[in-house]
Structure formats: C-alpha cells, structure tokens
Amino acid sequence: MGVFDRLPPMDHLRSEKMCFVQLIIPAESARLAVTYLGELGLLQFKDLNEDKSPFQRIFVNQVKRCSEMSRKLRFFNDQINKAGVKSSVRPAMQPDIDLEELEAKLREHENDLLEMNTNSEKLLQTYNELLEFKMVLSKAGGILASSHNHAAPAERELDEHIYDKEMDDGNAYLLEQGVHLGASENSGVKFVSGIILKSKAMAFERMLFRATRGNMFFNQAPAGEPVTDPISGEEVEKTVFVVFFSGDQAKAKILKICGSFGASCYPVPEEMVKQRQIFREVSGRLADLEATLDAGIQHRNKALESVGSQLRRWTIMVKKEKAVYDTLNMLNFDVTKKCLVGEGWCPIFAKSQIKDVLQRATLHSNSQVGIIFHEMDTIDSPPTYFQTDKFTNAFQEIVDAYGIARYEEANPAVYSVITFPFLFAVMFGDWGHGICLLLGACVLILREKKLSSQKLGSFMEMAFGGRYVILLMALFSIYCGLIYNEFFSVPFHIFGKSAYECREKTCSDAHTAGLIKVRDPYPFGVDPSWRGSRSELPFLNSLKMKMSILMGVTQMNLGIVLSYFDAKFHGNALDIRYQFIPQMIFLNSLFGYLALLILIKWCTGSQADLYHVMIYMFLDPSGNLGENQLFWGQKELQILLLLMAIVAVPWMLFPKPFILKKLHKERFQGHTYRFLGTSEMDPDSEPDSARSRHDDFNFSEVFVHQMIHSIEFVLGAVSNTASYLRLWALSLAHSELSTVFYEKLLVLAWGYDNLVVKLVGLVIFSFATAFILLGMESLSAFLHALRLHWVEFMNKFYHGDGYKFRPFSFALLADDED
C-alpha cells in the first residue's frame, strides 16, 4: 500500500467541501439580502418551517400576489400566441419599476384586454349570425322561388311515388299547398327557415318527420363554404333548410326541435322584393361590422405588442420576486428580536463571497444592525456539489442519472469523459461513420449560441445538451475505425502495403487461393487483406473477443482501485483490508489471469486453447497442460491462483461483521478506541441522519448485508466479464450490417449500366446509412456503453445515494412557472 500512499490526493475528483451556516438577518434587510444571495447562487437554504403549511407562513400574502401576477402574465402570453403577434426582438428600454407599480400596470392591461375581448366576441358573434342570415336568405330564397314555379312537376312526382307509400293523403295535400304557397295567403301553409350542422341534417329531418307524423315538407341546400359557428367559434360545414308545415302546434314542435339540435332559425319573407331588400341591408351591416372588427383587432394587436415587448422582463421580475418570498418563508421569524433566522449549506470557497453580499445588502437597506453569518456544526450529511462547465456537464448528467454521489465520494464522471466515448467507439468503430458524427457534432458546437437561445424539440434538445459527448464519440469512432480499417465497411491501404499477397501470381483475389506473408506486419490497425479472405471472420472474432475481455478486466480493476481511494480518503481501514484486498485477489486470480494468458498468446503466437486452460483450471488443477502450456510454472501458478480465489471469498464475508460487533461492544462498555467508519456504519452517508441512530447495532443485519455484498461481487465478477463481450458482439454486428448495405445496395446498383438505377441505389444506401447505422446503431451502442458504466464499472465503488446541492439561484429558475 506504500505506492498508493505516496500518490497525490484526489481532491479534484471529489465534490466541493461544504459547510453548514446560519444567518441572522434584520427584518428590514431580509428581502434585499435574499435577493443578493439569489444573484450569487451559492447558498442552499434549509426549510426551517417544514411543519407549517404554505398558508401558515409569514410571507404568504406576498407569494399570493406574485402568483396572481404570474397568472396575468401567462394570460398575456396565451393571448399573444393566439393572436400571432410578434414582439420586437430588441424591446425599447423601459425605466425600472417596483412590484406595486407592476401589479397596477398588469391589472390595468388585463382589464383593458378582457374588455376588448368581450366586445370583440360580441361583434364576432353578431357578424357570424348576419353571415348565416345572408346564406339563409340566398339559399332559402332559391328554394322558395322553385316552390312557386314547379306545381305541375310536383304533382307528377306524387304520381311517380317519389315519396314513400307509407305517407298518408294529408302529406300529399300539404305538398300541393306548399308549391302554391305564393298564390294563396289563407291556405294555412307556413314555413321555417334556418341553418344547421351538416352532420346533424339527416337526424334533424328524421326527427321532424316523426314529430309531425309526416305532415311537413323538408328541403335543404348546402351552405357552400365553411361557416364560423357563432357559439363555438369553429369553422364547420353547415346546411340551409326550409321546413313547410301547417298549424301552430306543428310550428311549436319544429321550433323546439330546432333548438335541441342547435339549429339557428332566421325569418325569410316570401316576396322576392323584400328578400332582396333585406339581403342588401344584411350585406351593408356585414361590411360595417367587418371594418369595425378589423379596427378592433388592430387596436388589440397594438396593445398586445406593447405588452409583449416587456413580457419577458416582467416575467423574470415576478419569478425572482416570488422565489425571494418562497425562500423567506423557509426562515424562522424571531418576534422579540425582529429578525429572520436561516440555515443552509454553502461551499467553503464561497464564504467570503457570501459575507461580501450580505454586507452590501446591509448597506443598501440602511439597516442599523448588520447581518450575522457564522458556521455551525451539524450531524446532517452535506449535499454534493461538482463544478462543471459546458464540456463536462453532459458526462456529469450521465452519472447523476444513475445516482447522486455521496458527499466527497469519488466522481466517476472524471473517468467517463474518456471511457464512455471510447467504449462506444469500440462498438461503433468505422471512420466513415465517425466523420458523419463529427460533422453533426461540429454543427451543434459552432451554432451553440444560436441554438441555446431557441426552443428545441425533445430530441434536438437532448442532442444539443450532449454535443461534446457526441464530439468525443465521433473522434474515438474515427480512431477505432482506423484500427479496424473500415470506411463504410471498405478497407483502405492508408498506412502502407499489406503484409500478405497471393500464393501464386496468377490468383486475383483471396477467395481462390490462400495468402502468404511477404513483408513486415501492417503498421497500424487491421491489415486490409483480411477483408474478403476465408479466415476474415474467425480472425476478427478472436481479436475483438479477446480485446473486449482485456478492456473489461481493466475497467473493473479501475473500479476496485477507486474503492480503495474512497476508503482511504474517509479513513475506512476495514473496507481496505476486508473488501478492497480480497476483491482484487479474487478478480485477478481468475480473470486477471485470463487477460495475462491472452497477452502471452498474442506475444508468443502460441496455438494454446484458452477455453481448455480456464475450464480445466477448475476441473483438473493438477492435470497436465500439454500443448496448452504457455510458460514454465503455469500449472503451479494456476493452483496458487485458484487457492487465493477460494480464500478471498470467506475473507470478504466473515471478518468485517465480527470486527464491527467487537468494536460496538467495546464502545458500549466505554473503552476508548479509534472509531473505524465503514460504508455501512458511516453516519454521514445519509441525509438527515445522526450518530445516535447507529448506536443500536444489529449483527444479523450487518452479516446478511455483507453476505449479499460478497455473493454479488463473486457472481458479478463472472457476469460482468461476460457482459463486456457485448463490445465484440455489437462491433461485429455494426461491421456486418455496414457490409450488407454496401454490397447489396451500392455495389449491386452500380453494377447496372443505368443512371436511374445507380441514383436509386445511392439514395437507398444513404438513407439506410443515416437512419439505421448512424441513428439506430449509434443509439444502441450508446445504451450499451451506458450499461457498462452503470453496472459493470460504477457498482465496484460508487454508492450514488447522496443528494444534490441546489442553491437558491436566479440563474436556475425554470422557464416554466412553478
């Protein structure tokens, strides 16, 4: 352990050191002090009024006022969006106003807007009713005119049984009287005209027929164009109708049915002269109303523009004010001393900045008493705070999605910056596809200022947030693609000539004859001559499978080493002796030894079967290795490693619970000893926990927990190593799919002597590459790389049961209302 002890401390890999502070703020400077702290954004307040409901807190009235103003601002925003008004990009600068002035201004604007909306709705309803009346006059007038001129054809229609035979004789008489309506005013035949939804016309006619027992004549004509409904305000298809009937009783029934179906009835005179006169009057009123509506809309839009130019500024102001009063409601009010008492967490480096801000608040509020700011001791666990920038933020978010780190726990995001995109690239390796990803990442990065100010869709927002992750994934994909020597699945002689040639000069490719080595190995990556050879798949499978095991064992060892640094940082000697050491021994006795055999086989060119070696290491440890022996003393080393792996399991399981039991007994008996904290017994590992809660020691619970942890590690060592084989599987799948698209789409299409076929093949190949290889395959590789970090790497050392530092900051206010 001396080597590790001499290493520099890993302070830069841990969360910021935090301190618990108390503020005693005079009432007259409280609002200004909290406002300045919100602008600084480095203090997380603790809610000291958790037992009180929102309505029992001190500043509930101010919060209600801000909520009401927020409602009005949302109303203005909805009206602006509904009207399609665009506010000026650079609004005119307005003088600063206080909250009372803003409240009065918002109330005035809301009342004006509501009044304009009411007047506009009334005018619009009148306009739509007149428009319907005009249509009824036009269509119903034609129906009435045709009824005057077709008496004889109507009789012929009766003779030809146009109407159903179930209609009685009274119906035929009514029809005859209807067509002679203009000739006799005393005939007793009347009519009702109006307009109804087209979808209800058939049911409406059927209901009228049943209600009048067939003693009516129904005629209809389509309105011809969509009509704005006066009630709903939606554009709908409508039908103009005219119902002929006889008797007041039938009229009452018809009018009631019209009301129930939502039909609008309009009076239409029989004389054509009166119809034309009313038509002209309605047209004139429509023109006047249209001009009035246009003027009203222009006036309303101007009012909305004036509001819209300041809407964002007002919204931010109200949000800040509401956040300030919400924070003040978290403080205790001392009535006797007329001051507010607050508690919270802040980074140690921010203490001087907070003191300066509080001093400035005291000065600007003209308070006679200064604000007291001092550090306090606490038994609560501090929050976790990592300072990130636009480059590291996405990697930190990937880790935080698994769980927030404990306070001062080793941060996996530091290593994930390299390991995550690299493992992605191992599965996605193709330098042609990598260049496509690189171009996409560069577009997002070069336009980040413009895109950050725009509202993006969910997918684009996710891609923009991870633009630097995509950049590194693209760069590593190009690197791995050069190693695999694949450019859209096509190999190139980039780094010189191939080391292999055909056995005979007459052979044209590797399919007809074997290859022989004629020069030094290919300088970088896979030799392009392997492509298309008979042994291509076995060679690449063997290479990628062994490479996956080496990467997996390396990353799992890194995770265990980080658990040592965590235990050393927190002074947990038990975790080092009875977790870190046996875990390293167990993992490397089995899978570290397998990685060593792979490297020896690659270096020596041995033909040993590593499957046979690992299987018979357990089945027959003392057996003869024969041709599978890779080095002298291999059998004795295997026996030693097997024994060490067996010993490591009880080493992990038994000592730690019994030592903890002994330490607890000594503590209970009052013996002095140096407390050895562990991950299970660390009182600072959980928020809102106290040391007194750990006084009750449950040995069976600790033993069962340790047993589960040990079994999980032993079984996980096998399953996690096998899980890294997904690097080989996905890399092979990506390569083969790319080859299929290239050979069966592009090459096949370009084999035809037809330009159209070539272009179609190129287009299909491009779409397949973009949507399947660059879209679905990249997402698949991303998810698998995510799983390898969350499960195989981070579970070796990362607890992830902390809570995030959430300071009171105006910069972190959400765009949407709370």
Side-chain angles (χ1 to χ4, degrees):
M1 295 303 151
V3 177
F4 290 134
D5 291 338
R6 289 192 296 270
L7 291 175
M10 300 174 65
D11 293 338
H12 60 289
L13 300 178
R14 302 188 183 278
S15 60
E16 294 291 337
K17 292 185 180 295
M18 310 293 288
C19 61
F20 191 71
V21 297
Q22 185 182 57
L23 296 88
I24 302 175
I25 313 172
E28 62 271 14
S29 58
R31 179 184 164 279
L32 201 58
V34 172
T35 302
Y36 288 168
L37 288 172
E39 291 172 354
L40 181 63
L42 287 172
L43 179 63
Q44 174 179 320
F45 284 93
K46 181 181 178 181
D47 191 357
L48 302 178
N49 300 311
E50 288 181 346
D51 55 334
K52 295 181 181 178
S53 70
F55 300 102
Q56 294 175 323
R57 305 203 178 196
I58 307 167
F59 299 96
V60 61
N61 293 327
Q62 287 85 345
V63 172
K64 284 181 180 178
R65 285 175 61 198
C66 293
S67 298
E68 179 64 18
M69 285 190 283
S70 297
R71 182 197 63 77
K72 291 174 183 176
L73 290 168
R74 287 196 302 272
F75 169 69
F76 294 147
N77 189 48
D78 292 340
Q79 292 294 310
I80 288 170
N81 293 335
K82 190 176 179 181
V85 175
K86 292 184 179 179
S87 57
S88 58
V89 180
R90 294 181 179 177
M93 293 300 293
Q94 297 288 335
D96 292 336
I97 58 174
D98 57 19
L99 201 64
E100 286 74 17
E101 291 179 8
L102 178 60
E103 188 177 19
K105 219 172 211 182
L106 293 179
R107 190 187 304 114
E108 181 185 348
H109 282 303
E110 186 188 30
N111 292 336
D112 292 345
L113 198 56
L114 287 173
E115 186 179 353
M116 284 188 280
N117 286 347
T118 304
N119 294 337
S120 178
E121 287 170 5
K122 288 180 180 177
L123 287 173
L124 192 61
Q125 185 175 356
T126 306
Y127 178 82
N128 291 331
E129 287 175 355
L130 286 173
L131 193 61
E132 284 187 350
F133 190 15
K134 183 179 178 181
M135 288 184 175
V136 170
L137 284 170
S138 176
K139 299 294 181 179
I143 294 172
L144 293 174
S146 64
S147 68
H148 284 286
N149 301 323
H150 293 82
E155 292 175 358
R156 187 171 67 252
E157 286 174 359
L158 288 171
D159 293 338
E160 292 173 359
H161 305 286
I162 296 299
Y163 281 83
D164 195 279
K165 291 183 179 181
E166 294 181 0
M167 295 175 65
D168 57 8
D169 295 337
N171 190 26
Y173 173 77
L174 177 62
L175 178 63
E176 186 177 352
Q177 294 298 321
V179 296
H180 290 88
L181 186 62
S184 175
E185 294 182 359
N186 299 321
S187 61
V189 177
K190 302 175 183 177
F191 67 89
V192 172
S193 57
I195 192 166
I196 191 172
L197 285 173
K198 189 177 181 181
S199 58
K200 295 182 179 179
M202 188 177 292
F204 178 63
E205 182 181 1
R206 191 180 296 114
M207 182 61 71
L208 287 174
F209 182 81
R210 290 175 180 173
T212 60
R213 299 181 181 275
N215 292 313
M216 65 94 193
F217 175 65
F218 184 85
N219 207 335
Q220 61 180 343
E225 59 183 20
V227 182
T228 303
D229 190 84
I231 299 171
S232 65
E234 298 178 357
E235 284 196 352
V236 290
E237 295 285 341
K238 288 200 172 186
T239 298
V240 176
F241 65 87
V242 178
V243 184
F244 297 94
F245 60 90
S246 177
D248 293 335
Q249 189 176 1
K251 179 180 179 181
K253 288 180 180 179
I254 291 169
L255 291 176
K256 184 178 282 188
I257 292 170
C258 288
S260 63
F261 274 83
S264 302
C265 297
Y266 297 98
V268 178
E270 297 177 30
E271 293 83 359
M272 295 298 293
V273 177
K274 289 184 178 180
Q275 287 181 18
R276 291 192 185 96
Q277 183 181 355
I278 295 174
F279 190 85
R280 285 194 295 269
E281 290 177 3
V282 170
S283 299
R285 288 189 63 190
L286 279 172
D288 295 341
L289 276 175
E290 194 169 349
T292 306
L293 280 170
D294 288 341
I297 290 172
Q298 289 179 6
H299 178 63
R300 181 170 172 271
N301 287 347
K302 284 182 180 178
L304 289 174
E305 281 179 10
S306 65
V307 172
S309 63
Q310 300 296 324
L311 185 64
R312 178 171 175 79
R313 175 169 161 261
W314 291 346
T315 303
I316 293 172
M317 181 180 172
V318 171
K319 280 185 180 181
K320 287 182 178 180
E321 205 68 28
K322 185 174 182 293
V324 166
Y325 285 115
D326 283 334
T327 304
L328 286 171
N329 277 331
M330 298 169 71
L331 310 183
N332 269 338
F333 185 66
D334 192 333
V335 182
T336 58
K337 298 178 182 178
K338 294 183 179 180
C339 61
L340 290 163
V341 180
E343 295 176 359
W345 294 98
C346 72
I348 288 179
F349 72 82
K351 286 172 64 177
S352 59
Q353 300 177 50
I354 293 173
K355 288 179 181 178
D356 293 341
V357 161
L358 295 177
Q359 198 170 10
R360 185 156 51 94
T362 304
L363 186 64
H364 290 175
S365 61
N366 297 321
S367 175
Q368 301 297 323
V369 183
I371 300 172
I372 299 173
F373 174 80
H374 62 96
E375 192 173 342
M376 294 176 62
D377 292 330
T378 181
I379 57 176
D380 295 342
S381 176
T384 302
Y385 175 47
F386 293 107
Q387 293 194 68
T388 58
D389 52 26
K390 61 183 180 182
F391 180 80
T392 57
N393 182 64
F395 295 98
Q396 189 64 56
E397 290 294 329
I398 290 173
V399 172
D400 289 348
Y402 176 83
I404 306 298
R406 284 182 181 179
Y407 177 60
E408 292 193 324
E409 184 177 19
N411 185 16
V414 176
Y415 303 94
S416 299
V417 171
I418 297 300
T419 58
F420 184 85
F422 179 71
L423 291 185
F424 169 89
V426 170
M427 296 178 276
F428 193 75
D430 186 302
W431 63 280
H433 298 154
I435 289 173
C436 295
L437 279 183
L438 180 63
L439 293 175
C442 289
V443 169
L444 292 174
I445 291 170
L446 293 174
R447 301 183 64 191
E448 70 179 16
K449 285 187 179 179
K450 183 178 180 181
L451 292 173
S452 60
S453 61
Q454 293 179 356
K455 191 173 182 180
L456 305 174
S458 57
F459 177 77
M460 275 302 296
E461 187 177 1
M462 181 177 63
F464 178 71
R467 58 195 180 277
Y468 290 102
V469 179
I470 298 173
L471 175 67
L472 287 184
M473 291 193 305
L475 293 174
F476 278 112
S477 295
I478 294 172
Y479 171 73
C480 289
L482 291 172
I483 291 178
Y484 298 156
N485 203 344
E486 290 186 8
F487 178 82
F488 295 101
S489 79
V490 180
F492 284 89
H493 293 76
I494 302 174
F495 301 102
K497 293 184 178 180
S498 169
Y500 300 92
E501 290 182 357
C502 291
R503 181 177 287 114
E504 300 175 2
K505 293 182 179 180
T506 55
C507 74
S508 57
D509 56 30
H511 295 281
T512 57
L515 295 170
I516 58 172
K517 189 172 182 180
V518 296
R519 59 179 65 90
D520 291 335
Y522 194 67
F524 184 84
V526 175
D527 195 309
S529 294
W530 286 107
R531 174 58 185 263
S533 66
R534 288 190 294 267
S535 55
E536 175 193 9
L537 203 56
F539 168 74
L540 292 178
N541 275 344
S542 175
L543 171 68
K544 292 182 179 180
M545 181 171 60
K546 293 180 174 66
M547 184 177 65
S548 300
I549 293 173
L550 290 175
M551 291 178 183
V553 172
T554 303
Q555 192 173 33
M556 287 190 291
N557 271 291
L558 174 62
I560 299 174
V561 169
L562 286 176
S563 72
Y564 163 77
F565 284 111
D566 250 353
K568 184 176 181 298
F569 182 84
H570 293 102
N572 298 336
L574 287 181
D575 284 352
I576 295 174
R577 293 170 189 165
Y578 304 109
Q579 279 189 195
F580 165 70
I581 295 176
Q583 284 179 1
M584 287 293 288
I585 290 173
F586 183 84
L587 181 67
N588 291 291
S589 295
L590 301 179
F591 301 104
Y593 175 63
L594 174 60
L596 177 65
L597 293 180
I598 291 172
L599 292 174
I600 292 174
K601 183 177 178 181
W602 278 353
C603 294
T604 60
S606 171
Q607 297 298 316
D609 186 358
L610 299 186
Y611 295 110
H612 184 277
V613 172
M614 293 303 297
I615 290 171
Y616 280 91
M617 179 179 175
F618 295 93
L619 298 180
D620 188 12
S622 60
N624 186 21
L625 293 173
E627 62 181 9
N628 291 321
Q629 183 164 346
L630 287 161
F631 54 90
W632 179 84
Q634 182 178 351
K635 182 173 72 173
E636 291 76 12
L637 178 62
Q638 287 185 178
I639 295 172
L640 176 63
L641 292 176
L642 188 60
L643 290 173
M644 290 173 65
I646 293 171
V647 169
V649 177
W651 190 353
M652 273 188 284
L653 176 60
F654 294 110
K656 186 176 173 181
F658 287 100
I659 291 173
L660 288 173
K661 183 179 180 182
K662 179 186 175 184
L663 292 174
H664 176 75
K665 192 176 292 184
E666 290 176 353
R667 182 181 185 182
F668 180 74
Q669 293 172 354
H671 294 173
T672 59
Y673 68 98
R674 183 175 178 272
F675 178 77
L676 298 175
T678 66
S679 57
E680 289 79 13
M681 297 296 295
D682 186 4
D684 292 335
S685 63
E686 300 170 2
D688 301 324
S689 63
R691 292 184 183 274
S692 59
R693 299 184 186 180
H694 293 273
D695 287 343
D696 297 329
F697 181 80
N698 191 332
F699 174 75
S700 60
E701 184 178 339
V702 173
F703 186 83
V704 169
H705 183 277
Q706 187 66 22
M707 183 174 64
I708 292 172
H709 184 76
S710 303
I711 294 172
E712 182 183 10
F713 179 82
V714 171
L715 297 180
V718 180
S719 63
N720 293 164
T721 305
S723 183
Y724 277 94
L725 293 176
R726 71 184 67 235
L727 297 173
W728 155 53
L730 265 78
S731 175
L732 179 66
H734 184 83
S735 176
E736 292 300 313
L737 197 59
S738 182
T739 302
V740 168
F741 288 157
Y742 173 72
E743 293 181 351
K744 302 301 179 184
L745 291 176
L746 194 61
V747 175
L748 190 65
W750 281 74
Y752 289 89
D753 191 16
N754 188 318
L755 183 60
V756 176
V757 175
K758 289 181 179 180
L759 290 176
V760 169
L762 181 61
V763 169
I764 296 175
F765 172 77
S766 302
F767 274 95
T769 300
F771 290 104
I772 297 178
L773 294 177
L774 294 178
M776 295 170 59
E777 281 284 311
S778 63
L779 181 61
S780 174
F782 181 91
L783 294 175
H784 283 284
L786 198 64
R787 183 236 149 82
L788 288 176
H789 279 75
W790 281 358
V791 179
E792 278 71 31
F793 172 53
M794 287 164 57
N795 73 349
K796 300 292 185 296
F797 68 98
Y798 189 66
H799 296 94
D801 55 359
Y803 66 105
K804 201 168 187 177
F805 176 61
R806 300 186 182 278
F808 171 59
S809 173
F810 293 149
L812 299 178
L813 286 176
D815 291 334
D816 297 328
E817 282 294 326
D818 296 332

